[in-house]
Amino acid sequence: MATSTALVRALRLHVQVARARSLVAPAERQLGRPLRLQDASAPLSVGGQSRGFFFRSGDGDSNNSGNSRGSSDDASGAASGDGAAENGQGRQDGPRMRLARSSRSSGGRASSSTNPCAAEDAAAAPAENGASAEDGAIVPVTSSEGGLRKESGGFEPYVMAMPLPRRPLFPGQQQLLQVTHPKVIKELMSLMEKGQPPFIGAFLHKDAAAAEEEAASESREKPLQLEDLSKSEPLDVLYTVGTRARILQAMPFTQHGKYGQISGMQMLLHGHDLVRLDKILDKGPPLQVQVSRARYSTEQDQDNLKAYINETMHTIREIMKINPQFREHASMIHQGLERLERGDPHAIAHFAASLTTAAGSELMEVLESDLPSEKLRLALVLLKKELELSQLQQKIATQIEEKVSKHQREFMLREQLKMIKKELGIDKDDGSDTLLQKFRERLDAKTVPKEVKDAIDSEMEKFSNLAKESQEYQMTRNYLDWLTTMPWGIYSKDTFNLKKAREILDRDHYGLPDIKDRIRELIAVGVLRGTMQGKILCFVGPPGVGKTSIGKSIAEALGREFYRFSVGGLYDVAEIKGHRRTYVGAMPGKIIQCLKKTQTANPLVLIDEVDKIGRGHQGDPSSALLELLDPSQNSGFLDHYLDVPVDCSRVLFVCTANVTDTIPGPLLDRMEVIRLSGYDLQEKLRIAEDYLVPNALKEVGLHPVKPGKADVPAEAKSEPEAEPDSGAVQELALEDAKKGEEPAPPSMPPVKADIDGTALEALIRWYCREAGVRNLQKHVERICRKLATKVVEQREAEDCKAADEADDAAGSASAKELIVTENDLSDYVGKPPFTSDRLYEGQLPAGTVTGLAWTSMGGAVLYVEATAIPRWRARQGGGSGDDAAGGGSVGGGVPPSLSVTGQLGSVMKESSQIALLLARRQLATRAEAAASEGAQPLRASFFEEHELYLHCPEGATPKDGPSAGVTMTTALLSLALRQPARADLAMTGEVSLNGKVLAVGGIKEKTIAARRAGCKCLVFPQANRRDFEELPEYLREGLEVHFAAHYDEVFSIAFPEVTDNK
């Protein structure tokens, strides 16, 4: 520290001496020799301390005056700007005098220039920034011509060696070097006291970077000093080829880093020539070495050498075109090229290598090479690498510049558009403040829960600090938009009027007493409580019976908003629970969208096709519905997008399904199931006459003979409630009934048309047997379109007549009537797909029994056929199984075999096995009873002696269900007894091993199917007696119905002759 302080003071004192010299400049010119103010070879002393150094230009040099003037003018330029003019010379004639400051960063150790101009600019920067001489001056040793003074004693082999940290110093180049070791600084100061710029040996340190990293990892208290090589072998850590360099400038420096304040000396070195390290004289510090001049080899192939030189020059010029750093010093590089074009190849190689940013080891290869062509080759390789790096840098810069230019252009256009909108007064979204004000206005009339209000306030505070260009801006805006548009605390007024609700339901839908009664009960409870709570209802029935359309009528009857969405095939749980806000395109779930669209917190939500909900890798939507459809949980329904609880307890949920088998048990348990059965002939006929036919005729421009009824007919209202227990729901017909009648063109007479009742009955019986009326509506519309086509064809034919006849016909035309009868159906809708309800006309063969089945399309007749082949004939491939002889050939104890066909499901296959066991037991019991009573003997071993086959016709149709056990048992017994069952007998029911007849479902549909097939005698389980008694009287009329609790009762009904004989 003391040494550097003394150096600063000495250099400042030298400035004063330089100024004094400027005063005696005229006397020097007169005497022809310089006047010495003080012996500069001795250090100046102030208070016994060393103050600095002053290097003379030389003894007896006639140009000293010019140098002194230049130095004086430069040194005192800050105080008086006209010194150079007084001496008659400018800066170009005298030596350049600049104030040098350390531009090194706090973390670095040395600052060096990669080219001569960079080093010179680094030394010149402080003077250009206006530094004064009092801040510390650097005094160069130059001649009056501006060049370095030649040494007087020739080559000096004994020099002080200084390690270079990262890059070697090339001859003819300049580089900054910082020294911090006190002993080295003291030795350098002693050399400078001799009055002549000293020479030192500059050798590149092999592992300077690794040594600095190692020193940093050791947590040293002082910075690493590379000039101290006392603890290492200099020949191992230094390259043996270096540069003999002259110290041009020297100044003290002070910097602050992680080691605190560091002081030292900064020198500007100028490379003179290459030397080799021969011997270590003293490790020091400072390091004293013996060097010798480096010798170069001669090149024989001058053409090759010339080619290398030309390519090197060309590459340097290419780099200058694209490298911005090279372009900044283009003039300096051009001057160097002009001087080197006709120079020696070693200088050209050194100059080229110094321009690159290669590592120190690669640059040392250039220095160490003694062959000119090899040196040029190595330098050219480094230049090529630099060229590729410059090209890549230019490419990156071009891409970034294009991107920035594009963003700037878009920004300018947006700003211009914003100003244009503002001037026109159409700017509706002028910043975050306007949006926040709009969000707050939405919440003024709403009762927002505290938890939701806290979330909104937090998001608004965050939104106010976001920039429009940020990615989170739009996400937060959408989130606030959803939160503020939700109907917090907004409820629609419920209708507490039973009569009005009944009128609306009866107007739109015929029958449906179960659903209408349930809605009336809901309204009645709301009247007593003063409020109507939400419920979860589930309508289950075949397609086309009106499950979906009844939902809108219920919403109108209750005075609520209506929203419908289907979950059929839904496999993503986010459709119910919403997406996370972090996803792109995230949205809330369906229920939140419903509340936003209806703007009420108590709408009627219809969830359609709940039995067809899917399940995929993105979750189970049916499980997500558990929370929504649970009355004890949906008061705090949490959507993933909103992430705040939403009260859905007052929402009325109505679900629709065709079957309940595919609905998960926990979900089905949360719903109140109301079943809708299929329509019978009378109901379909009433629906067609009152709704389908009138509305279909209006759609095609025809006029019905009988006006359609928008409401329930008066006679239907007066009938007892038990009779119209199920009605038709006409979704499309309901909408058509509300539309106004379009008048026919005035020039054409109105045409009235109708479909006869017998035609409608035939259409329902032979064309449209499904449980719903959707297919019936399609056939009616098809007939009406045919009628419209026929009317237009007739009018076109009439237009071909004479004009007078056409005028007479138009003047006297009256309303025409077109009636479609049963005989005309084949012309309008083609041949009937059903020709008979029975597979067997007349008596059934033995082993065949008529069963009743329920399907999603309604009821159907299911025939069960059984046959047998004797076992010994089956092995020989012959016989029909009717002959009883030969049964004894089969060994005893062989179990009977049963083959089942007809595409039966697993449930029906199990029923067939139970039916076989029960049939064997029944046959054995009755055979023993007949033998004991002396009646006609029965063959108890029939099933063991034959191979049995059971088949259900229409094998292309899958069949399954627990209701065919009674029918299969009867078919097997009919085969074994060779006794056919009654032709008009139809039965349904499941049996147990003990012969119990178990209850089944779908009694109404099965009764309709039996009536359609002409079966007058029906056998139902005893447990289904109540279901049959609830049927309308017109369905029960003319039927002989038996209810059996045990199969013995079924046997007595199916085989009365066998029972009588017993």
Side-chain angles (χ1 to χ4, degrees), residues 591-668:
I591 186 62
I592 303 300
Q593 299 178 29
C594 159
L595 296 179
K596 179 183 178 182
K597 182 177 180 180
T598 59
Q599 283 300 304
T600 59
N602 62 337
L604 187 146
V605 180
L606 179 68
I607 305 177
D608 207 3
E609 308 295 347
V610 74
D611 60 326
K612 300 175 182 62
I613 192 168
R615 183 173 184 176
H617 65 279
Q618 295 178 340
D620 185 6
S622 61
S623 300
L625 286 175
L626 295 178
E627 179 185 0
L628 182 62
L629 300 182
D630 193 339
S632 61
Q633 299 181 28
N634 59 12
S635 59
F637 176 73
L638 191 65
D639 185 87
H640 289 163
Y641 183 85
L642 293 186
D643 203 21
V644 292
V646 180
D647 186 10
C648 300
S649 60
R650 298 184 64 178
V651 178
L652 178 58
F653 292 98
V654 176
C655 305
T656 65
N658 296 124
V659 293
T660 59
D661 300 340
T662 57
I663 302 177
L667 181 60
L668 185 64

Side-chain angles (χ1 to χ4, degrees), residues 496 522-531:
F496 296 113
L522 186 66
I523 296 175
V525 173
V527 171
L528 298 179
R529 295 188 54 184
T531 180

Side-chain angles (χ1 to χ4, degrees), residues 150-159 199-201 203 242-245 272-278 289-295:
K150 298 181 179 179
E151 63 239 296
S152 59
F155 180 80
E156 177 63 39
Y158 305 106
V159 295
F199 280 93
I200 65 171
F203 297 92
T243 304
R244 191 166 64 102
H272 192 271
D273 52 6
L274 292 182
V275 294
R276 291 187 180 273
L277 180 58
D278 297 334
V289 298
Q290 179 180 349
V291 298
S292 61
R293 293 183 186 272
R295 303 300 179 183

Side-chain angles (χ1 to χ4, degrees), residues 123-174:
E128 293 175 355
N129 292 334
S132 64
E134 296 298 332
D135 295 331
I138 300 178
V139 181
V141 180
T142 56
S143 65
S144 59
E145 289 80 6
L148 288 173
R149 184 171 177 267
K150 298 181 179 179
E151 63 239 296
S152 59
F155 180 80
E156 177 63 39
Y158 305 106
V159 295
M160 180 193 301
M162 298 294 295
L164 300 178
R166 292 178 178 83
R167 290 173 59 89
L169 176 63
F170 289 91
Q173 311 300 320
Q174 295 178 355

Side-chain angles (χ1 to χ4, degrees), residues 44 100 168 766 880 942 1043:
L44 297 174
W766 306 114
S880 61
F942 177 82
F1043 299 96

